[in-house]
Amino acid sequence: MLGVTNESPRQVCGTRYKESVDALNKLKHEIAQHTNHQLTFHEIHEMHADGKRVLLFQIPAAINGVPTEWRGRVYEQLRAKAMAGRQGNIEGLTREATTFYDHVADLAFGPDGVPAQHQPAMKKLMSRIVELLQDTIGILDFWKKPIEVKKLRGQIATELLLTNLPQIVEKHERLAVEIAKLAEKRHDELTK
């Protein structure tokens, strides 16, 4: 669903995403091109509430026993792997920084991993981000405070942009969301 806020209570805010019917049809085609089994939306419903545009994406059920892939990657498996955390640390990183390093490396650099020349910058970035998370999320009911969560995602996105690593900069918005999701799930570990 697009055009509503992410945080509860959800409110209609409107969206300008893919405003033409042709653009929405191209989106359905692109989704089919990049998912296994050419899965795409059954339908994209465009509605208006309070004079603001809302898009609803009708998603088909997954094929039983077959994870849905996007461009060959199973994101839910990546997130589960990140949640479990690595058993050992990457040299120079804490366990938490190592967990976030692995997750961001999978999402940004893919199966080949972080090139050697980018590893020092990635280590520095993950240390800064984990420090930012630990300094920020310790307040009571942090994840129930939408303004604070949005502010944190903005700070994470800024840190990602400042790295000047092309793979990170290109995906900084998505990475900021994924880092925040992982931080919420690892809240207890981060605030120990």
Side-chain angles (χ1 to χ4, degrees):
M1 183 174 352
L2 295 176
V4 296
T5 58
N6 290 330
E7 296 83 18
S8 294
R10 298 197 188 281
Q11 298 176 6
V12 175
C13 60
T15 184
R16 296 183 55 103
Y17 183 73
K18 307 277 186 195
E19 290 187 311
S20 72
V21 172
D22 189 45
L24 290 172
N25 286 332
K26 284 181 183 176
L27 174 65
K28 286 175 76 172
H29 178 73
E30 179 185 358
I31 298 292
Q33 291 292 317
H34 296 292
T35 55
N36 54 335
H37 309 290
Q38 285 78 42
L39 294 175
T40 192
F41 305 115
H42 280 305
E43 200 60 51
I44 301 175
H45 303 278
E46 184 174 353
M47 303 171 57
H48 288 82
D50 300 328
K52 297 174 185 168
R53 181 172 176 256
V54 176
L55 291 177
L56 302 168
F57 297 86
Q58 187 177 350
I59 302 169
I63 298 169
N64 196 16
V66 179
T68 301
E69 298 176 10
W70 172 254
R71 294 185 177 173
R73 306 291 308 268
V74 181
Y75 282 90
E76 210 45 52
Q77 288 176 352
L78 291 175
R79 195 174 290 137
K81 178 177 140 189
M83 273 300 299
R86 181 194 276 236
Q87 296 308 311
N89 296 351
I90 293 174
E91 186 178 337
L93 293 178
T94 64
R95 175 158 186 202
E96 284 308 308
T98 296
T99 298
F100 283 84
Y101 181 102
D102 287 343
H103 190 50
V104 171
D106 279 341
L107 295 172
F109 295 93
D112 295 334
V114 181
Q117 72 269 24
H118 295 325
Q119 289 176 6
M122 270 289 286
K123 287 180 180 182
K124 197 173 186 181
L125 171 66
M126 290 304 106
S127 291
R128 280 197 318 267
I129 285 177
V130 167
E131 186 177 311
L132 170 65
L133 292 168
Q134 290 171 330
D135 289 346
T136 306
I137 68 171
I139 63 174
L140 184 64
D141 292 331
F142 176 82
W143 300 106
K144 294 180 182 177
K145 298 177 179 173
I147 293 170
E148 295 298 321
V149 173
K150 189 173 184 178
K151 181 178 164 187
L152 173 63
R153 278 199 314 261
Q155 291 171 317
I156 293 168
T158 299
E159 290 292 334
L160 295 170
L161 286 170
L162 291 174
T163 65
N164 289 322
L165 297 175
Q167 297 89 335
I168 298 290
V169 170
E170 177 185 323
K171 300 173 184 164
H172 74 278
E173 291 175 351
R174 183 74 205 142
L175 292 173
V177 169
E178 288 294 327
I179 289 168
K181 284 181 182 177
L182 181 57
E184 183 175 6
K185 290 180 178 176
R186 294 190 64 82
H187 179 92
D188 292 341
E189 290 84 357
L190 284 163
T191 56
K192 282 182 184 176

